[in-house]
């Protein structure tokens, strides 16, 4: 059902925005669930400021959601050839190489924004390293090596760190178990001196119990291939993680609840012999995000507590104290749909779609997607969050989340309070880089060219011929002039989502 608007002010609006509209497009929001599609036909993209880091010939990652580059406040790390990993100090430009992997790197990641601990993944192993400076050189040491199952199954693909515990992370891999939760302090290891580097080694056994490891086994597959693509940790309670799968489903898991799997099915340990079972984290809810494509990425939105297309009159949110288990989240499908969802609830009712965004069919489907929330500039403005999408033709889109503060009324158990809520997408900015973008990582940096407190979006990219920093300045990413009521910008189409049909929960087991 297409939503139609009258356009009496469109000419004046376009004239007032003639310069900005070349690359920035305002997006409408409504009190009902809608899908917004944006066409770039006739639009002139903005060229971001480009700062080369190094010349490096690269190819596309074999694992689409794996990262060939990562950074934090102190370091930048990126994959080079022959299983090598380059680490560079962002302040001094000192460099070093991480050696030891025998296969191509598919993922790298730092533990935290200021940590000196990072992990690198190839199909055969995951290695945890520490980076440290020594006088005028950059040095590293390997802390742990985790090797894949010796039966040849379960190639490793990605690593996702715990949000605040450096002794815990989750490995994504192939096999009957799609991921493994690792607690390094509980692992049984052996000593190795491979490559002349003394370190601990642990062997994975995907179909057996290993102290310090917990499997993720999908028992409600919606297609033959339910392999995992992405995983994100909940900011509200680290016992919960959300995963995205090839069968078009996102799944919420409880790491503190263990179930026993026999022949791909959950069994009752009181009724069945579990001596040969696989222990798995418990999947407490599954949500189908797409009927005809896979779920490629998922992101919790920690800056927000609620998400809804329509709030109660009087400025109040429908949220009740203690009713939400998680923050709102975004899903990204392999067909290019970005969907904003309400939080998972304690009651077990499924999340609902708030808004859907997609680029028009003439645009390449973005292969990289990141989320960045800018630091607050004052106490009066709601959080400003961007979704950064890029593709193999060098197109970059910065999609901004529409947000506002809302009041939560007092209840018998909690006083009234103000929360940040997200209601959709309010504008998109179109950029163009001269090279394909194979991998990206985004960080906010203070804009030193302005006296006001403003933030750049620094998009670090592995491209076909170089590793570069693309800077999207505050002026480039600023919101367009307010849209007159009833006006839809050129290139934008809006459809109403009926009956929340794409958010049907296929499983729910919330305690």
């Amino acid at each position: 059902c297409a939503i139609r608007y009258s356009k009496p002010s469109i000419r004046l609006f376009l004239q007032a925005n003639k310069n900005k509209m070349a690359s920035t497009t305002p997006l409408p929001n409504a009190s009902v669930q809608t899908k917004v599609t944006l066409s770039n036909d006739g639009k002139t993209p903005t060229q971001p400021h480009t700062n080369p880091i190094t010349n490096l010939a690269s190819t596309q990652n074999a694992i689409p959601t794996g990262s060939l580059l990562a950074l934090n406040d102190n370091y930048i790390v990126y994959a080079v050839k022959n299983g090598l990993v380059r680490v560079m100090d962002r302040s001094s430009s000192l460099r070093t190489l991480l050696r030891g992997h025998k296969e191509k790197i598919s993922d790298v990641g730092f533990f935290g924004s200021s940590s000196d601990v990072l992990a690198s993944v190839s199909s055969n192993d995951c290695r945890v390293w520490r980076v440290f400076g020594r006088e005028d050189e950059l040095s590293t040491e390997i802390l742990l090596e985790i090797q894949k199952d010796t039966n040849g199954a379960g190639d490793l693909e990605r690593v996702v760190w715990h949000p605040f515990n450096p002794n815990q992370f989750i490995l994504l891999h192939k096999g009957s178990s799609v991921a493994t939760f690792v607690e390094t302090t509980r692992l049984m290891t052996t000593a190795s001196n491979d490559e002349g580097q003394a370190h601990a080694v642990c062997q994975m056994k995907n179909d057996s119990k290993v102290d310090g490891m917990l499997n993720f086994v999908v028992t409600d597959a919606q297609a033959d291939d339910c392999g995992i693509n992405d995983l994100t940790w909940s900011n509200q309670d680290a016992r919960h993680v959300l995963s995205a799968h090839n069968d078009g489903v996102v799944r919420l898991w409880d790491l503190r609840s263990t179930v026993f799997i026999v022949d791909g099915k959950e069994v009752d340990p009181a009724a069945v012999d579990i001596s040969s079972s696989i222990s798995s984290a418990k999947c407490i809810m599954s949500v189908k995000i797409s009927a005809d494509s896979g779920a490629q990425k998922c992101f919790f939105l920690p800056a927000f507590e609620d998400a809804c297309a329509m709030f109660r009159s009087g400025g109040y949110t429908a949220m009740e104290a203690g009713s939400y288990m998680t923050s709102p989240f975004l899903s990204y499908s392999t067909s290019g749909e970005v969907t904003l969802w309400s939080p998972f609830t304690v009651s077990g009712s499924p999340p609902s779609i708030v808004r859907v965004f997609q680029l028009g069919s003439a645009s390449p489907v973005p292969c990289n997607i990141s989320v960045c929330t800018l630091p607050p500039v004052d106490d009066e403005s709601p959080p400003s969050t961007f979704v950064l999408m890029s593709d193999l033709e060098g197109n970059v889109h910065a999609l901004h989340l529409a947000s506002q503060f809302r009041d939560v009324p007092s209840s018998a158990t909690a006083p009234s309070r103000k929360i940040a809520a997200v209601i959709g997408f309010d504008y998109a900015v179109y950029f163009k880089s001269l090279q394909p973008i194979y991998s990206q990582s985004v960080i906010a940096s203070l804009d030193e060219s302005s006296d006001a407190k403003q933030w750049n979006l620094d998009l670090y990219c592995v491209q076909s011929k170089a590793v570069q920093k693309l800077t999207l300045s505050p002026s480039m990413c600023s919101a367009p002039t307010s849209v007159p009521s009833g006006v839809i910008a050129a290139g934008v189409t809006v459809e109403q989502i009926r009956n929340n049909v794409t958010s049907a929960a296929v499983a729910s087991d919330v305690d």
Side-chain angles (χ1 to χ4, degrees):
C1 175
I3 298 179
R4 304 181 186 278
Y5 295 84
S6 61
K7 303 182 180 180
S9 308
I10 188 70
R11 184 172 301 172
L12 293 175
F13 168 69
L14 292 175
Q15 180 65 26
N17 288 271
K18 62 181 181 179
N19 296 324
K20 190 77 176 164
M21 284 297 292
S23 61
T24 302
T25 304
L27 305 175
N29 282 298
S31 60
V32 294
Q33 300 159 319
T34 54
K35 176 179 179 179
V36 177
T37 303
L38 173 62
S39 170
N40 286 322
D41 290 348
K43 298 186 186 301
T44 303
T46 297
Q47 180 72 39
H49 301 305
T50 302
N51 181 23
I53 295 172
T54 188
N55 293 324
L56 177 69
S58 299
T59 57
Q60 191 174 3
N61 195 348
I63 307 302
T65 58
S67 180
L68 299 175
L69 173 149
L71 70 151
N72 66 6
D73 294 341
N74 303 314
Y75 304 104
I76 177 171
V77 56
Y78 51 89
V80 292
K81 62 181 181 179
N82 300 327
L84 299 174
V85 179
R86 173 71 72 187
V87 183
M88 184 178 74
D89 188 299
R90 293 180 61 192
S91 299
S92 66
S93 296
L94 291 174
R95 304 181 182 213
T96 190
L97 277 174
L98 306 181
R99 305 174 186 272
H101 290 288
K102 302 298 190 295
E103 305 292 336
K104 277 188 174 182
I105 300 299
S106 60
D107 197 31
V108 291
F110 284 98
F111 160 63
S113 61
S114 58
S115 175
D116 58 1
V117 175
L118 68 119
S120 55
V121 179
S122 73
S123 60
N124 287 334
D125 59 353
C126 170
R127 294 178 176 233
V128 179
W129 313 78
R130 186 173 75 89
V131 183
F132 55 95
R134 180 179 293 168
E135 296 181 353
D136 58 348
E137 67 177 4
L138 195 61
S139 300
T140 63
E141 63 176 340
I142 181 170
L143 305 178
L144 174 67
E145 177 186 358
I146 295 181
Q147 298 175 346
K148 78 169 186 178
D149 195 331
T150 53
N151 66 15
D155 282 0
L156 305 184
E157 297 182 337
R158 292 191 54 205
V159 60
V160 183
W161 285 99
H162 189 282
F164 53 82
N165 187 341
N167 296 311
Q168 297 182 0
F169 53 83
I170 294 176
L171 288 172
L172 279 56
H173 49 74
K174 298 186 184 299
S176 56
S177 168
V178 297
T180 301
F181 171 52
V182 178
E183 296 182 86
T184 60
T185 54
R186 295 181 55 212
L187 294 176
M188 298 292 292
T189 62
T190 58
S192 172
N193 198 39
D194 182 37
E195 298 282 342
Q197 303 177 86
H199 61 280
V201 177
C202 180
Q203 186 80 50
M204 297 182 68
K205 298 183 184 299
N206 291 348
D207 296 327
S208 304
K209 299 180 179 69
V210 177
D211 287 342
M213 293 188 179
L214 179 63
N215 293 294
F216 289 67
V217 179
V218 174
T219 60
D220 62 344
Q222 301 296 294
D224 292 338
D225 181 6
C226 61
I228 192 169
N229 293 315
D230 193 27
L231 182 142
T232 182
W233 236 291
S234 171
N235 60 291
Q236 293 196 3
D237 189 337
R239 69 185 292 175
H240 295 132
V241 295
L242 185 66
S243 57
H245 297 259
N246 288 331
D247 59 357
V249 174
V250 294
R251 293 177 168 89
L252 185 68
W253 305 79
D254 186 346
L255 295 177
R256 295 184 189 170
S257 296
T258 302
V259 296
F260 299 95
I261 309 296
V262 176
D263 296 329
K265 301 294 183 183
E266 182 180 338
V267 298
D268 181 357
V272 177
D273 179 12
I274 60 171
S275 59
S276 61
S277 67
I278 302 173
S279 298
S280 172
K282 184 176 185 177
C283 179
I284 57 177
M285 187 175 292
S286 299
V287 179
K288 188 79 170 176
I289 72 156
S290 176
D292 53 7
S293 60
Q296 184 165 319
K297 295 281 285 184
C298 55
F299 305 88
F300 280 117
L301 299 172
F304 305 99
E305 291 190 50
D306 198 6
C308 189
M310 180 176 66
F311 290 92
R312 291 177 179 173
S313 60
Y316 287 101
T317 174
M319 176 183 181
E320 296 179 5
S323 62
Y324 290 163
M325 184 186 300
T326 70
S327 57
F329 67 98
L330 290 171
S331 66
Y332 182 68
S333 72
T334 53
S335 62
E337 282 190 344
V338 182
T339 305
L340 172 63
W341 298 83
S342 65
F344 287 91
T345 63
V346 174
S347 67
S349 58
S352 59
I353 292 175
V354 176
R355 204 79 64 207
V356 179
F357 172 87
Q358 188 170 28
L359 294 171
S361 58
S363 298
V365 175
C367 56
N368 307 294
I369 180 169
S370 306
V371 175
C372 183
T373 297
L374 301 180
V377 295
D378 55 53
D379 295 332
E380 303 300 321
S381 303
S384 180
T385 298
F386 284 89
V387 180
L388 280 299
M389 300 178 288
S390 63
D391 61 41
L392 297 179
E393 295 185 7
N395 298 300
V396 178
H397 289 83
L399 177 64
H400 189 258
L401 298 185
S403 61
Q404 56 189 204
F405 284 123
R406 285 284 168 169
D407 295 317
V408 178
S410 60
S411 66
T413 59
S416 61
R417 62 192 180 95
K418 180 179 290 187
I419 66 166
V422 56
I423 61 173
F425 312 108
D426 50 10
Y427 65 94
V429 190
Y430 178 28
F431 298 91
K432 182 75 173 181
S433 178
L434 299 180
Q435 297 181 38
I437 297 176
Y438 296 140
S439 193
Q440 68 181 38
S441 184
V442 63
I443 194 170
S445 67
L446 192 63
D447 181 21
E448 297 181 354
S449 66
S450 172
D451 293 333
K453 189 176 182 181
Q454 299 184 91
W455 299 92
N456 297 314
L457 289 169
D458 290 335
L459 192 65
Y460 286 77
C461 302
V462 173
Q463 300 187 266
S464 57
K465 299 178 181 179
V467 177
Q468 302 194 105
K469 180 178 75 170
L470 309 181
T471 298
L472 316 182
S473 67
S475 60
M476 294 177 182
C477 295
S478 62
T481 304
S482 298
V483 181
S485 177
V487 172
I488 296 181
V492 175
T493 58
V494 184
E495 293 180 282
Q496 186 173 347
I497 299 171
R498 292 291 188 182
N499 300 322
N500 204 33
V501 292
T502 56
S503 67
V506 296
S508 177
D509 192 2
V510 179
D511 295 329

